[in-house]
Amino acid sequence: AQSVTQPDIHITVSEGASLELRCNYSYGATPYLFWYVQSPGQGLQLLLKYFSGDTLVQGIKGFEAEFKRSQSSFNLRKPSVHWSDAAEYFCAVGMDTGRRALTFGSGTRLQVQP
Amino acid sequence: GAVVSQHPSRVICKSGTSVKIECRSLDFQATTMFWYRQFPKKSLMLMATSNEGSKATYEQGVEKDKFLINHASLTLSTLTVTSAHPEDSSFYICSARGAGLAGTNEQYFGPGTRLTVT
């Protein structure tokens, strides 16, 4: 069974600073990888996804993530954080078949200091 | 883009009553819908997988008689929480996977339904 680990429960950064949220997965084959953002009381918004090809993927809102097979990681990055980025971020993994639900990490709560 | 809606967005019900939550794919046909539950400040946990025209598959530990799922059409799945108790209070999120998107594992998430049982 696949699993996702987000080691950082809570991160605080200053506005304008760079950000990296960590995600490690466990899965026997090449995974489908996703990053979602959730604002309080809201649903999930897809930031970006990796299926194949270029291991550096660009997403919305200036986010990017890099798939590193050797490290089983898919870390999310942003060069300059905005106050509106404060939210909960979830990394998720899906299987090759595409028929099963996603497995989510436990989430990282991002706080942005002025 | 593909849009998934949920109704209601927020519901308060009394203990012992039942409540139905709808999940609709607005601009695509969803052969598969997933129901997740999210506890406060926790991750999403899969409750069940719903395929159109067939019985839902429930995850271990989820009571199928308590959480009734119906996927009667390619655009609608419903989750009914029967005999609700305060511990059923949670945020319920559905996602839908389209027939035309098979193989990409792409799911579209609804905005969620906040259930509070008093």
Side-chain angles (χ1 to χ4, degrees), chain A residues 32 34 36 38 41-44 46 49 51 90 93-102 104-107 109, chain B residues 10 32 34 36 38 41-44 46 49 59 91 93 97 103-112 114:
Chain A
Y32 292 88
F34 306 79
Y36 289 90
Q38 183 182 38
Q42 303 297 312
L44 300 177
L46 178 66
K49 61 194 178 190
F51 289 169
F90 292 98
V93 63
M95 298 169 63
D96 281 348
T97 62
R99 292 184 178 276
R100 299 293 302 273
L102 301 181
F104 285 85
S106 54
R109 178 163 297 276
Chain B
R10 186 179 293 267
T32 305
F34 304 92
Y36 296 84
Q38 185 179 30
K41 300 185 179 181
K42 297 289 186 182
S43 186
L44 282 75
L46 179 67
T49 301
E59 295 300 298
F91 196 55
I93 301 178
R97 182 175 168 276
T104 67
N105 201 31
E106 190 146 6
Q107 294 178 26
Y108 298 93
F109 285 83
R114 170 77 57 196

Side-chain angles (χ1 to χ4, degrees), chain B residues 6-110:
Chain B
Q6 281 185 242
H7 178 79
S9 57
R10 186 179 293 267
V11 58
I12 301 173
C13 71
K14 293 188 176 180
S15 187
T17 62
S18 296
V19 61
K20 180 184 287 187
I21 302 170
E22 293 184 347
C23 177
R24 292 182 185 273
S25 56
L26 298 185
D27 50 3
F28 67 100
Q29 293 185 326
T31 53
T32 305
M33 287 184 172
F34 304 92
W35 287 95
Y36 296 84
R37 180 175 180 176
Q38 185 179 30
F39 292 97
K41 300 185 179 181
K42 297 289 186 182
S43 186
L44 282 75
M45 301 299 295
L46 179 67
M47 298 176 66
T49 301
S50 165
N51 291 299
E52 188 267 336
S54 62
K55 291 184 178 180
T57 302
Y58 290 81
E59 295 300 298
Q60 191 172 8
V62 178
E63 299 176 62
K64 65 176 75 173
D65 294 331
K66 180 169 187 60
F67 298 99
L68 301 179
I69 291 172
N70 183 277
H71 192 164
S73 78
L74 285 172
T75 59
L76 174 64
S77 176
T78 60
L79 168 67
T80 301
V81 183
T82 63
S83 187
H85 288 105
E87 56 264 31
D88 298 326
S89 299
S90 194
F91 196 55
Y92 293 88
I93 301 178
C94 73
S95 71
R97 182 175 168 276
L101 300 173
T104 67
N105 201 31
E106 190 146 6
Q107 294 178 26
Y108 298 93
F109 285 83

Side-chain angles (χ1 to χ4, degrees), chain A residues 19-83:
Chain A
L19 170 70
E20 181 169 31
L21 302 182
R22 295 183 291 166
C23 172
N24 291 96
Y25 68 91
S26 173
Y27 182 59
T30 299
Y32 292 88
L33 295 162
F34 306 79
W35 274 100
Y36 289 90
V37 61
Q38 183 182 38
S39 297
Q42 303 297 312
L44 300 177
Q45 181 180 23
L46 178 66
L47 287 176
L48 47 79
K49 61 194 178 190
Y50 171 77
F51 289 169
S52 64
D54 192 347
T55 56
L56 183 64
V57 293
Q58 302 297 320
I60 62 172
K61 303 184 178 185
F63 286 93
E64 66 177 27
E66 186 171 13
F67 170 56
K68 293 185 177 180
R69 184 188 301 275
S70 61
Q71 298 178 18
S72 296
S73 69
F74 188 55
N75 294 348
L76 181 71
R77 299 194 294 252
K78 186 169 184 177
S80 178
V81 171
H82 188 263
W83 64 266

